[in-house]
Amino acid sequence: IPVVEIVEWGEAPIDMNVGLSHVAAGRAMGEYLIGQGYRRIAFVGPQMERDVRAAKRLEGLRAALAAAGQEGGPALSLDRPSAVRAGGDAVSHLLGEAPDIDAVFFANDDMAVGGLLECQRRGIAVPGTLAIAGFNGLEFSGEVMPRLTTILTPRHEIGRRAAEMLVARLAGRPLAETSVDVGFTLLRRESA
């Protein structure tokens, strides 16, 4: 039975895979935030003991911080699934625990928007006092104010390529590649 693993790119798929490197995406966001002058960068992910992709984004962020000789801020693994409200609660928790953070990289845009809204409720300037960044490049991330800095993942392309791979395999046609890294785009916007 042909199998295509999607969203996460890896060098040793079960059969085939198409996706992106979440470590590379986390590192790219880390390098960007460091380049913008942020030094105490926190990370928030939902249930990271189960969300392997979020954990890999944190790994990439930590690699960027280490390469820059920075310790960064705390990493918060939420005990509940991802949601907008969870992002707001995470910002409240982080500011209580580490008030010196100057940026938060959220594992997804839902939580990042929640964090942004919590900052607005508290009168915290984004990005002046606290930068907010997300992941996925969901449409609404460009509609909030300030617009969310995020990693755009090519989900449509991943699905299209995965379907093409399955169809080719079922038709008995050989594949030029069985592991495809479609990459990502860092959307530099006003929130960070």
Side-chain angles (χ1 to χ4, degrees):
I1 298 172
V3 174
V4 179
E5 298 168 78
I6 61 168
V7 181
E8 182 178 349
W9 174 77
E11 296 179 12
I14 294 168
D15 182 11
M16 303 174 281
N17 80 344
V18 57
L20 62 126
S21 168
H22 292 264
V23 174
R27 185 178 186 114
M29 183 59 80
E31 290 169 349
Y32 171 75
L33 292 170
I34 292 164
Q36 294 297 105
Y38 301 106
R39 298 293 174 258
R40 288 283 291 154
I41 304 166
F43 183 86
V44 176
Q47 302 171 318
M48 288 197 299
E49 66 282 352
R50 294 180 2 202
D51 189 339
V52 176
R53 294 175 187 145
K56 287 185 176 188
R57 291 175 211 141
L58 173 58
E59 178 185 336
L61 171 63
R62 285 183 171 158
L65 289 164
Q70 296 180 19
E71 184 179 325
L76 180 60
S77 179
L78 303 178
D79 62 357
R80 62 185 184 194
S82 175
V84 172
R85 180 70 255 154
D89 292 346
V91 163
S92 294
H93 176 83
L94 286 169
L95 291 174
E97 184 176 297
D100 62 334
I101 61 171
D102 57 6
V104 182
F105 176 25
F106 286 89
N108 62 49
D109 290 346
D110 298 341
M111 291 188 307
V113 166
L116 175 64
L117 294 173
E118 182 64 23
C119 287
Q120 290 172 350
R121 281 189 288 277
R122 291 171 168 246
I124 297 170
V126 175
T129 302
L130 187 64
I132 302 288
F135 184 90
N136 272 330
L138 300 178
E139 182 180 358
F140 66 80
S141 70
E143 301 301 320
V144 293
M145 293 302 289
R147 295 179 312 149
L148 188 64
T149 295
T150 187
I151 298 283
L152 174 65
T153 59
R155 292 171 311 283
H156 183 272
E157 176 70 7
I158 290 169
R160 184 184 66 74
R161 296 284 296 266
E164 289 173 356
M165 292 166 88
L166 281 173
V167 168
R169 180 65 60 79
L170 290 170
R173 294 191 308 268
L175 294 170
E177 294 179 278
T178 58
S179 185
V180 179
D181 181 357
V182 295
F184 56 87
T185 303
L186 198 156
L187 298 178
R188 297 162 177 89
R189 294 178 175 153
E190 297 85 13
S191 72

